[in-house]
Amino acid sequence: MAPPKGKRKYLGRRKIEMKLIADENARLITFSKRRNGLFKKATELSTLCAAKIAIIIFTQCNRAYSFGNPNVDYVTDLFSNQFPLPNPLSFDRGTNMQQLKERCDRINEELEAKKRKGKEIEEGLESFSSGALMEDLGALDFAALKEMKVKLERLRVQVARRIDGPELGSGEGSSSHFAGVRVSGLEEGNESPIPSDWLKLM
Amino acid sequence: MAPPKGKRKYLGRRKIEMKLIADENARLITFSKRRNGLFKKATELSTLCAAKIAIIIFTQCNRAYSFGNPNVDYVTDLFSNQFPLPNPLSFDRGTNMQQLKERCDRINEELEAKKRKGKEIEEGLESFSSGALMEDLGALDFAALKEMKVKLERLRVQVARRIDGPELGSGEGSSSHFAGVRVSGLEEGNESPIPSDWLKLM
DNA sequence: CACGCTATCTATAACCC
DNA sequence: TGGGTTATAGATAGCGT
C-alpha cells in the first residue's frame, strides 16, 4: 500500500485546467493521446450499442482526422446518391455534413492517387475551390475574416499572375500527406493561415 | 472511513465485455451515458487543443445525435439558407429543421437497410490545410487557375461583405456561436427551436 | 431517461526512450 | 511522433430515486 515514498519515478496524472494548452509541444502530445482516446471511446460506443459514428477533427493548422464506423464511405456513398456532386470544382450549396465528408473523402482519394504524381497542390486547390471554404465562411469570426481577406488578396494576385503572366516553374515537392489509414502528420505547430472552419452536422 | 463492509450498497463499476450489450434497456442507458461522455471528451479535446470537432451518431433505432464545435445549427442554417448568409447572426433558424430531419430519416432508413459492411476508416483531409495553397500554385493548369480565380473572386467578395458589409446585428452578438474555440458542449440548456450545440433529430 | 451514489475501471499528464 | 511507466483524475456499471 504505502508507495515507496522515497522516490516516485513518475508523478502520475495530474489535474489540468480545461483551457487551451499553452505549451505547443504539450498540446501536441495531448491532442494525439486524446484523439486516440476519443476514437477509442467512439469504437466502444458503437460496439456496445450498435451505433454508427463518424467523427471529424480539424486541428488548428487545418489538419483533419476522422473516424468512421462502420465506415465513412458507408454513410458517404449514401449521400452521394442522394446529393450527387457533379464536379468537385462546381460550387454546390446544398451541402451538409455528410456531403462535406464525402467530399473530403473524395478529395482524399484523389490526393492519394495524385500524390504519386506529385501534384498535391492541385488537389489542395480543388478542395479549396470545391466550396467547402466558401461555405464555412460564416463560421469565421471577425478577426479571422480580416486575416483571410488579406490572404485571399494575396492568393488572388498570385492566381492572376499565373493566368496572365508567364509560366512559372512549379516544383512542388514533398508531400507529407496522409497515408490513407491513420492520419499521421504532425499537429499544430503553426498558426493556421486560415482558421478554416466548421462543417455542419445534422 | 472504513466502509461498512457488511453490505456494500453499490458494487461500483464493473468491467464489461466489449460487445453488443444484449439487454436493450441496459444498452440504452449505456448509450446515453457514453454518448455524453464522448461529447464531453470532444469538448475537452477541442478546448485543450483548439480543434474543431464534429460527431455524428446514428443509433440503431434511427436516431441521430450530433455534436459540433463551434456550434452546429449555425452552420446548419448557413447551408440551408443557401450560400451567402445574409446575416449570420440573425438568421432565422429552425426553418430547415424539418427538412433536415427528413433527410436524416431517409439516411437512417438506408443505413438500416444497408447496414453491416463495416470496418473503420480514417481519412486525412490534410488537403484542407490551405496554408500550403499559398506556397505554390505552380502546378496548376490554366483551366484550374481560371476557375479558381472566379472562386476566389467570389470568396473575396463574401469575406469583404462580412467585414465591411452590413453590421451584423448587435455587433458580435451571439458571438458565442463561433467565438473562439468551442461552444459549450454539455451544460448550457438553451430552448431555441433546436439545441444550439447538440442537435438531436427526431 | 435524468440524477445520485460508489467502487472500480479506464484514460492520461508528466516523464523517459 | 510512437511507445512505455507510474500514479492519479476522470468515466461509468449497476443499482436507487
Side-chain angles (χ1 to χ4, degrees):
Chain A
M1 308 298 248
K5 63 288 293 312
K7 56 89 135 206
R8 302 200 172 192
K9 188 169 183 181
Y10 299 108
L11 293 174
R13 178 177 183 174
R14 272 181 287 172
K15 191 171 195 170
I16 62 173
E17 258 189 275
M18 271 306 296
K19 65 176 185 182
L20 181 67
I21 294 173
D23 181 53
E24 195 84 25
N25 203 50
R27 197 196 321 155
L28 188 71
I29 296 174
T30 291
F31 176 77
S32 180
K33 287 186 176 181
R34 280 177 175 266
R35 169 167 51 73
N36 289 328
L38 187 70
F39 286 172
K40 185 182 177 187
K41 285 287 187 186
T43 298
E44 297 183 343
L45 180 54
S46 69
T47 298
L48 295 171
C49 309
K52 297 95 178 176
I53 306 177
I55 301 178
I56 307 180
I57 302 177
F58 276 95
T59 65
Q60 243 181 348
C61 48
N62 292 327
R63 235 141 306 228
Y65 298 81
S66 74
F67 164 91
N69 180 302
N71 155 330
V72 178
D73 303 322
Y74 176 56
V75 181
T76 281
D77 292 340
L78 264 176
F79 251 82
S80 56
N81 289 326
Q82 296 182 52
F83 311 93
L85 289 184
N87 177 342
L89 285 175
S90 72
F91 185 59
D92 174 25
R93 47 275 229 48
T95 311
N96 59 37
M97 170 75 167
Q98 274 81 1
Q99 210 171 340
L100 225 192
K101 278 177 63 55
E102 179 221 325
R103 193 174 281 168
C104 290
D105 279 332
R106 182 171 301 184
I107 291 171
N108 280 326
E109 285 168 26
E110 290 178 23
L111 273 174
E112 266 296 44
K114 294 185 178 180
K115 196 165 81 173
R116 281 169 251 152
K117 297 189 296 181
K119 309 199 72 176
E120 49 182 332
I121 296 163
E122 186 173 339
E123 290 93 66
L125 284 171
E126 220 164 69
S127 69
F128 187 89
S129 54
S130 66
L133 246 186
M134 299 176 84
E135 293 162 345
D136 290 333
L137 200 54
L140 300 177
D141 62 21
F142 224 61
L145 280 171
K146 286 186 177 178
E147 187 180 353
M148 187 168 177
K149 184 182 182 182
V150 177
K151 303 280 186 183
L152 285 173
E153 210 56 58
R154 230 184 300 161
L155 226 197
R156 197 166 60 86
V157 172
Q158 287 185 55
V159 172
R161 185 175 303 162
R162 277 278 291 153
I163 293 179
D164 306 315
E167 188 61 44
L168 304 173
S170 73
E172 180 299 353
S174 67
S175 130
S176 59
H177 285 316
F178 71 105
V181 187
R182 168 83 49 174
V183 182
S184 54
L186 6 127
E187 241 309 277
E188 319 302 321
N190 326 306
E191 25 59 73
S192 53
I194 297 178
S196 100
D197 268 272
W198 231 190
L199 303 178
K200 141 201 215 171
L201 297 184
M202 64 169 283
Chain B
M1 299 323 225
K5 67 285 291 324
K7 58 91 124 219
R8 302 204 173 190
K9 190 169 183 182
Y10 300 107
L11 293 174
R13 179 178 182 174
R14 271 179 290 173
K15 191 170 195 171
I16 60 173
E17 259 190 273
M18 273 306 295
K19 65 176 185 183
L20 181 67
I21 295 173
D23 181 51
E24 188 159 330
N25 201 50
R27 188 171 62 217
L28 202 63
I29 295 175
T30 292
F31 175 76
S32 180
K33 287 185 176 181
R34 279 177 176 266
R35 169 168 51 74
N36 287 328
L38 187 70
F39 287 172
K40 185 181 178 189
K41 286 285 187 188
T43 296
E44 296 183 345
L45 179 54
S46 71
T47 298
L48 295 171
C49 309
K52 296 90 178 179
I53 306 177
I55 301 178
I56 319 175
I57 302 178
F58 286 104
T59 67
Q60 221 171 14
C61 48
N62 244 26
R63 279 182 178 67
Y65 296 83
S66 70
F67 165 91
N69 170 303
N71 194 301
V72 176
D73 60 331
Y74 167 74
V75 188
T76 283
D77 282 348
L78 189 163
F79 281 118
S80 305
N81 289 328
Q82 295 308 334
F83 175 37
L85 65 171
N87 188 328
L89 292 179
S90 64
F91 54 84
D92 59 309
R93 58 177 66 189
T95 307
N96 317 283
M97 293 329 292
Q98 183 55 44
Q99 190 173 13
L100 282 170
K101 178 186 178 306
E102 289 172 9
R103 183 179 295 178
C104 194
D105 289 349
R106 231 181 341 185
I107 295 170
N108 281 326
E109 283 170 31
E110 292 195 45
L111 278 174
E112 283 299 35
K114 300 167 74 176
K115 101 174 57 174
R116 104 184 72 296
K117 193 189 240 182
K119 179 184 49 189
E120 79 176 49
I121 214 184
E122 271 88 15
E123 45 176 20
L125 341 158
E126 302 173 339
S127 58
F128 277 108
S129 56
S130 39
L133 297 185
M134 305 296 290
E135 281 14 342
D136 18 25
L137 314 163
L140 275 187
D141 58 80
F142 255 48
L145 280 171
K146 286 185 177 178
E147 189 137 22
M148 183 168 179
K149 185 181 183 182
V150 177
K151 303 285 183 185
L152 285 173
E153 200 52 53
R154 242 142 99 199
L155 224 198
R156 197 171 62 78
V157 172
Q158 288 303 315
V159 173
R161 185 177 302 168
R162 278 294 309 277
I163 295 179
D164 313 306
E167 260 334 301
L168 317 173
S170 44
E172 261 287 284
S174 47
S175 60
S176 60
H177 276 296
F178 41 55
V181 184
R182 55 167 251 84
V183 181
S184 65
L186 300 165
E187 52 285 301
E188 171 134 12
N190 50 63
E191 31 48 57
S192 48
I194 301 298
S196 64
D197 301 334
W198 303 47
L199 209 199
K200 175 180 179 180
L201 301 177
M202 240 187 116

